[in-house]
Amino acid sequence: MRIPISIMVNGKNYNLQVKPNELLLNVLRENFSLSGAKYGCGIGECGACTVLLNGRAVLSCLTLAVSANGQEITTIEGLSDGNKLHPLQESFIEEGAIQCGFCTPGMILSAKALIDEKPEPLNSEIKEAIRGNVCRCTGYISIITAIKAGAKK
Amino acid sequence: MVDTKYIGINFNYYRPETLKEVLKRLQEKGSRILAGGTDLLVRIKTETEKPAIIVEITGVKELHILEMRNELILGALVKLYEIEKNDSIKNTYPSLHEAVKSIGGTQIRNMATLTGNLCNASPGADSAPPLITFGAQVEIKNLSKKGEIVNRIILLEDFFKGPGKTVLEPGDILTRIIVPEPDKNTGSAFKKLSRVNLDISKISCAVFLERDGNIIKSIKIAVGAAAAIPVRAFYTEEALTGTIFNMNKMQAALNLIRDDISPVTDVRSTAEYRRSVAPVLVRDALGLAWKRAGGDALL
Ligand code: FES
Ligand code: FES
C-alpha cells in the first residue's frame, strides 16, 4: 500500500507517495534531506524530533507521514530567511545555548511556537514550553536566557 | 531492544470521513483506531501491539466537537491542549484542567486526545479521577448486525475494567465524553505526586464537593494509580459527607483512604509509599476544593 499525500514543508508544497508505516521524522530526514529534526528516543520522551505542524510543536517520531497529509510543516531549516538567521537562532548562538547541538532544533522550534503565541513569555512559561525537550549538555539556564533574548529581538 | 527509529510492521491505513465508515472499518480483524498517536505508535514501535489496519479518525468532523452549554461535551478528537487553553473549562472544571495540564510535555499535549488517555486505561491516567468525580459519562457507538449505528452511554466510573482494559469491545468507538454542569457551591481540585513535574503519576487524586455553610454536603473522591483502575474512595466519602469542614478533625476520615485503595509496587513507586501519602494527597485536594467552593480552607 502506497498513499499519495501533499504536504507543505517550510513554505513549499510537495506531492509524494508514502507507505502507511513511514514516520514523518524519517520522511523529512530521508526524502527531504532535512536532517535538523533528530531521532533521539523514538518514543516521545526527548523532543529532539520536534517540528511544527500548523504552528504547533509536535513529535515527528510519533507522527505517521500519512497523517500529515494536507498540513503545514516547519522544520529548523525553514526558520532562517536566506542567510539571515531567525532571532531565536541568533540568540541561541549569542547566549551559548548550544553545546553538542542535538537538542537545539527541537528546542528552538518549541520556543518559536511559544513566542508566536506569547511574544513576551515569562520564565515559567518558557520552562513549561520546553519541558518536553531534553538537553543533556547545557543545564537549560542558557537556553532559557536565549529564548528570552530571542523573544525581545 | 526494538528499534524505535522505524515502524517494524506493515499495516493498511484508512482515514474515513464519516463515523459509519469508521465503524465499518473497525469490524475488520486487527483494526485499531488512531487519533493523537502518542500511545498507539509507541506500542506499535515496541511491538506491544501489531495492528493489521489503522483507522485514523481525524477526518470525522463530528468527533472534533468541544461544546460547553450546560454540560460539557468533549468529542473523541479533543486534544489535551484544547482543554488546557479553554478558560471556561478552567473556571468550571478546575480539577480537570489541572489534571490535563499535568500530563506530558507541550508536544504530547498538542497531539494526544483526552479520549485516548481514557481508552488506554492506564490505572494512572490523570484525566480519569476528575472526570469520575464530576459524574462524567461516555458515549460509545458500534454497528449493529443490520449495519445501523448503535449508541450506548455509560458512566465513566463503569468504563474501566483493569490495566489497559475497558468495556470497549472490538468494533466499538468512544465518540464523546459528557460532563454534567457542577451545581452552585461546589468546588473541585486535582493533586498528583510524580517523580518530576509532568511525569506519570505515582498516585493522583481528585475531589469534587458541595458546600453548605461549613458543612460538606456531598463529596466525591477518585484516586488514580492506586488500584488496577481509577477508583472512587467510598469509605472516605461516606465518613466526610455531612461533617463540618475542619482540617484538624478530619484526619481519621482521611486515613480511611488507605482502605479505599489497593496499590501495588511497580517501577514508579511502592505500595507502602502510595498508602502512606494517599491521606496527605486527599487532604490537599480537599482543602483546595473547599476553598474553590467558597469555604474557608483554614478551618
Ligand atoms: S525522538 Fe521523538 S521524542 Fe525522542
Ligand atoms: S546542547 Fe547537547 S543536548 Fe542540548
Side-chain angles (χ1 to χ4, degrees), chain A residues 30 39 41 61 67 131, chain B residues 4 6 45 56 109-110 198:
Chain A
E30 290 159 23
Y39 165 70
C41 64
C61 77
S67 302
R131 198 149 257 158
Chain B
T4 58
Y6 299 94
K45 282 183 171 191
E56 177 161 344
R109 292 199 300 277
N110 281 342
L198 299 186

